[in-house]
């Protein structure tokens, strides 16, 4: 019922936007418009005025600027049009055009999306951006578009994932058998099993209480996200495992995107790149601030030798998913070339 209502709401909003504007407006050479503006829906689940929401609004402003007002993007934050999966459905039927999420969320459509969360492809922003700009990165993005029906505009760095546990730990070996909250996607579960922990899928909203009650012993997540969840209050050790760097991306249906003129595609790409760079800058600063939050809370910060996890990622885990490993290995090589 909730899904049906959200789809109906999205359709009503989309129709109301169309009623307010035309569908084929283009800018004149002098910068004025021919006809009314084409209005598009950008829906996402992140809180109003979060950095993700600000990124979406910046994208909307730049689309209007770079198309001289021929396209207008209206942002609906905080799950107003539904959860991630519901927005994906709306994009597939055309009642929403854009969404900002991590590519891993598309794993329900294609297993190839799980490459986004493959461990140790890169361990910093420079390597991340180098990999996605490489031929290997472009090949994976093309494969993902083919498999999912979505084009990723400007994959954005969203921080390196670390491990937060509620017990004293010094080495990677201390995490063996640890009940660690991870995303409930089979490739992710298999990955952490290969690395020797006990992966436990759970809603992020439940993790704080679960760690305080020892239902789970830890969580792997980006530093700034962990601080926003107040994990410093239930964390004893922060293990700087640097094991993952999933992306954020602005998703647009490939069929819609490829039917646009080259000029409009270029405008969308430019808007996504500039807003994505801004978001990545915010992430880097927030991660640095968040590390201090954990230090000030008295959490022990450990920089372990994580070579055993990296070996497992390109050993036993790669053997389970050889097709995905092919892309992950190529992107890792590009990041370090």
């Amino acid at each position: 019922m909730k899904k049906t209502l959200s789809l109906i709401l999205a359709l009503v909003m989309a129709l109301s936007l169309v009623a307010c504007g035309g569908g084929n407006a283009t800018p004149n050479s002098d910068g004025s418009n021919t006809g009314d503006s084409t209005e598009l829906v950008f829906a996402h689940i992140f809180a109003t005025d979060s950095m993700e929401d600000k990124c979406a609004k910046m994208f909307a402003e730049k689309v209007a600027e770079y198309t001289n007002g021929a396209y207008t993007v209206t942002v609906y934050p905080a799950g107003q049009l539904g959860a991630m999966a519901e927005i994906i459905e709306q994009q597939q039927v055309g009642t929403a055009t854009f969404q900002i999420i991590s590519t891993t969320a598309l794993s329900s459509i294609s297993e190839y999306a799980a490459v986004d969360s493959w461990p140790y492809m890169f361990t910093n922003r420079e390597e991340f951006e180098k990999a996605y700009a490489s031929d290997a990165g472009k090949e994976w993005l093309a494969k993902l578009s083919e498999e999912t029906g979505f084009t990723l505009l400007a994959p954005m760095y969203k921080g390196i994932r670390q491990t937060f546990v509620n017990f004293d730990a010094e080495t990677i070996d201390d995490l063996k058998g640890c009940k660690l909250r991870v995303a409930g996607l089979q490739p992710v579960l298999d990955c952490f099993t290969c690395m020797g922990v006990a992966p436990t899928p759970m809603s992020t909203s439940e993790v704080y209480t679960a760690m305080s009650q020892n239902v789970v012993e830890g969580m792997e997540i980006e530093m700034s996200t962990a601080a926003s969840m107040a994990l410093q209050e239930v964390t004893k050790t922060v293990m700087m495992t640097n094991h993952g760097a999933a992306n954020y991306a602005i998703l647009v249906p490939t069929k819609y995107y490829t039917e646009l003129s080259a000029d409009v595609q270029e405008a969308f790409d430019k808007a996504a790149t500039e807003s994505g760079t801004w978001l990545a800058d915010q992430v880097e600063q927030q991660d640095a601030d968040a590390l201090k939050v954990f230090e000030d809370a008295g959490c022990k910060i450990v920089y372990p030798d994580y070579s055993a996890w990296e070996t497992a990622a390109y050993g036993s885990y790669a053997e389970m998913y050889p097709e995905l490993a092919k892309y992950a290995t190529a992107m890792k090589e590009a990041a370090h070339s």
Side-chain angles (χ1 to χ4, degrees):
M1 178 63 73
K2 180 180 177 183
K3 181 182 292 187
T4 302
L5 288 174
S6 67
L7 286 170
I8 292 172
L9 178 60
L11 180 59
V12 170
M13 287 181 172
L15 290 174
S16 68
L17 288 175
V18 172
C20 294
N24 297 295
T26 54
N28 291 317
S29 59
D30 63 0
S32 61
N33 290 332
T34 301
D36 297 322
S37 174
T38 297
E39 300 194 44
L40 305 173
V41 170
F42 191 135
H44 67 77
I45 63 167
F46 301 98
T48 302
D49 291 332
S50 63
M51 65 179 179
E52 294 87 356
D53 184 42
K54 290 177 180 177
C55 176
K57 290 172 180 173
M58 182 181 294
F59 172 78
E61 291 172 0
K62 290 185 177 296
V63 164
E65 176 185 351
Y66 296 142
T67 64
N68 294 309
Y71 286 81
T72 302
V73 178
T74 302
V75 178
Y76 294 92
Q80 291 180 25
L81 300 189
M84 238 183 242
E86 293 169 320
I87 297 171
I88 288 174
E89 291 180 1
Q90 292 159 26
Q91 291 179 281
Q92 290 171 326
V93 300
T95 54
T97 305
F98 303 106
Q99 176 176 194
I100 179 171
I101 55 174
S102 178
T103 306
T104 308
L106 295 175
S107 295
S108 60
I109 302 175
S110 170
E111 190 177 79
Y112 282 92
V115 172
D116 167 50
S117 61
W118 198 282
Y120 299 107
M121 284 195 295
F122 14 74
T123 57
N124 57 54
R125 178 180 175 181
E126 181 181 1
E127 293 175 0
F128 173 96
E129 292 179 347
K130 189 175 183 180
Y132 276 103
S134 70
D135 289 343
K138 292 173 182 176
E139 182 180 349
W140 176 68
L141 291 172
K143 179 66 175 179
L144 191 66
S145 178
E146 175 190 334
E147 289 279 318
T148 66
F150 284 94
T151 292
L152 277 65
L153 302 182
M156 311 169 195
Y157 176 79
K158 64 187 285 275
I160 301 295
R161 297 176 83 89
Q162 312 296 353
T163 306
F164 305 82
V165 294
N166 62 3
F167 57 88
D168 185 62
E170 293 287 347
T171 70
I172 286 291
D173 286 343
D174 293 331
L175 300 180
K176 286 185 177 178
C178 170
K179 294 176 292 184
L180 195 68
R181 184 274 170 190
V182 303
L185 302 168
Q186 195 58 53
V188 176
L189 296 171
D190 290 338
C191 174
F192 281 94
T193 298
C194 288
M195 294 194 294
V197 303
T200 307
M202 175 183 293
S203 169
T204 55
S205 63
E206 299 173 0
V207 172
Y208 181 98
T209 301
M211 283 182 66
S212 66
Q213 298 176 350
N214 216 41
V215 175
V216 295
E217 297 167 280
M219 180 180 191
E220 56 85 33
I221 196 75
E222 292 88 357
M223 183 70 69
S224 57
T225 305
S228 71
M229 297 169 62
L231 290 192
Q232 67 273 13
E233 298 175 5
V234 292
T235 294
K236 188 165 185 180
T237 307
V238 179
M239 301 286 284
M240 304 295 284
T241 47
N242 292 320
H243 59 272
N247 68 41
Y248 271 151
I250 295 175
L251 269 61
V252 59
T254 298
K255 185 177 187 302
Y256 173 80
Y257 177 75
T258 54
E259 290 177 353
L260 296 170
S261 69
D263 287 347
V264 175
Q265 287 185 23
E266 183 180 353
F268 285 5
D269 292 345
K270 187 177 179 182
T273 297
E274 293 182 8
S275 55
T277 298
W278 175 87
L279 183 142
D281 290 343
Q282 301 306 302
V283 165
E284 284 196 309
Q285 183 58 57
Q286 288 190 17
D287 277 355
D289 294 343
L291 178 59
K292 189 173 188 309
V293 168
F294 281 89
E295 289 173 337
D296 291 347
C299 301
K300 182 166 67 173
I301 312 298
V302 177
Y303 295 84
D305 175 2
Y306 47 69
S307 57
W309 277 18
E310 188 170 5
T311 297
Y314 293 90
S316 55
Y317 181 50
E319 291 172 3
M320 296 177 70
Y321 294 94
E323 281 298 308
L324 304 190
K326 177 180 69 174
Y327 289 98
T329 301
M331 290 179 70
K332 181 181 181 181
E333 290 175 353
H336 293 88
S337 65

